[in-house]
Amino acid sequence: DTILRMRKNVIFGANWLFGAKSMGKFLKTFGIYFIGNTLSRLLSFLIMPFITGALPTEEYGYFGTVNTMVNIITMMVFVMAWSGILRYLFEYESRKMKRKVIASGYAIEAISLVVFTIGYIIVCLITPIKEAGYIYFFAVSYMLHQSVAFTVRGLGYNKLYVISGVLGSIVSLVVNLVLVLQFHWGASALILAMALSYFVPAMFMELFAGTLRRTGFKDVDRHMMGTLLRYCVPYSINQGAYWINNQANVQIITLMMG
């Protein structure tokens, strides 16, 4: 009985210790994300009155439409491959498998980028798009940011991810203040600022995390690409359907009213 009680106490103590460590790690990660998100939102909140006051309503409305359309189109065309990267980086422990996940996910996004670029050029030839160059840069920057950010999170660089978020907010604030208040740009300033708020943090995270340096073309695996696509395609379709149910009417009315 004494030995049995001792074993139970040891097991209980071990479970409590590991549970405490897990809880401590969770609280630390939660705190990092909370502080980063709070700072980012605070910066956006502080600048918003100056920007909305300096821009005509139609310019801000056009930016809102562009922002929504870029998000949904990139989500569908790039099949949200970054979500699959994050999911399988958490699943696999070996460095070899992690390299395969990153390389295969990036390969999917590279192919999708070619498809997106060709499609975008065709659309621009058929229907002129206002600020087409800035919008393309915005879409590509968003894709790059999501890819690197989800990879960084999957590799456990939580502080780097949060710092990049604050950096993006600062970039957006500075660019908007200069282009809108100083040079009196319209929607193009908001689109360019949004694009840079994704592009600069993506390059910042890549510089320190080196996700591309971790992989090579030899790590691209067709089986892993298939695994990622089976996970990501239904997920991206589901997200697209959610957007249609919640935003389609607003965007259609906005487009019809010019």
Side-chain angles (χ1 to χ4, degrees), residues 12 19 31 49 73 123 126 143 152 158 161 164 179 190 203 213 225 238 250:
F12 174 80
I73 291 173
V123 171
I126 297 174
M143 181 274 294
V152 164
N158 295 314
Y161 173 77
S164 72
L179 295 184
L190 298 178
M203 296 301 101
R213 295 196 304 269
M225 289 179 68
N238 179 67
V250 175

Side-chain angles (χ1 to χ4, degrees), residues 77-106:
V77 174
F78 294 95
V79 298
M80 298 184 68
W82 45 82
S83 63
I85 293 174
L86 177 64
R87 184 245 193 266
Y88 285 99
L89 281 177
F90 283 144
E91 178 168 322
Y92 295 115
E93 295 293 336
S94 70
R95 292 183 178 180
K96 180 180 179 180
M97 292 304 297
K98 288 182 182 293
R99 288 197 301 269
K100 284 187 177 183
V101 169
I102 296 172
S104 300
Y106 283 6

Side-chain angles (χ1 to χ4, degrees), residues 2-179:
T2 303
I3 296 176
L4 183 60
R5 284 197 300 271
M6 290 177 62
R7 289 180 60 185
K8 288 182 178 180
N9 290 335
V10 170
I11 294 174
F12 174 80
N15 290 334
W16 181 88
L17 180 61
F18 285 114
K21 287 183 177 180
S22 299
M23 180 59 68
K25 184 178 180 180
F26 168 78
L27 291 175
K28 180 179 178 180
T29 302
F30 174 80
I32 292 173
Y33 277 93
F34 177 78
I35 293 173
N37 288 331
T38 301
L39 289 175
S40 298
R41 292 180 183 276
L42 178 61
L43 290 173
S44 300
F45 175 78
L46 291 175
I47 191 178
M48 192 59 63
F50 299 99
I51 301 303
T52 54
L55 282 177
T57 303
E58 59 271 18
E59 292 290 307
Y60 201 81
Y62 180 70
F63 166 72
T65 300
V66 168
N67 187 34
T68 302
M69 296 301 291
V70 164
N71 277 271
I72 185 60
I73 291 173
T74 52
M75 181 190 304
M76 301 296 290
V77 174
F78 294 95
V79 298
M80 298 184 68
W82 45 82
S83 63
I85 293 174
L86 177 64
R87 184 245 193 266
Y88 285 99
L89 281 177
F90 283 144
E91 178 168 322
Y92 295 115
E93 295 293 336
S94 70
R95 292 183 178 180
K96 180 180 179 180
M97 292 304 297
K98 288 182 182 293
R99 288 197 301 269
K100 284 187 177 183
V101 169
I102 296 172
S104 300
Y106 283 6
I108 293 173
E109 289 165 349
I111 295 171
S112 300
L113 179 59
V114 173
V115 173
F116 173 77
T117 301
I118 294 173
Y120 190 75
I121 292 173
I122 293 174
V123 171
C124 288
L125 291 175
I126 297 174
T127 305
I129 299 176
K130 181 183 176 182
E131 313 297 352
Y134 290 139
I135 293 173
Y136 178 79
F137 180 46
F138 176 16
V140 174
S141 297
Y142 175 76
M143 181 274 294
L144 291 174
H145 178 270
Q146 295 298 89
S147 302
V148 180
F150 277 61
T151 302
V152 164
R153 288 174 59 191
L155 294 173
Y157 297 119
N158 295 314
K159 291 181 180 179
L160 179 61
Y161 173 77
V162 171
I163 292 172
S164 72
V166 177
L167 175 62
S169 296
I170 294 173
V171 170
S172 177
L173 185 150
V174 173
V175 174
N176 274 314
L177 287 177
V178 173
L179 295 184

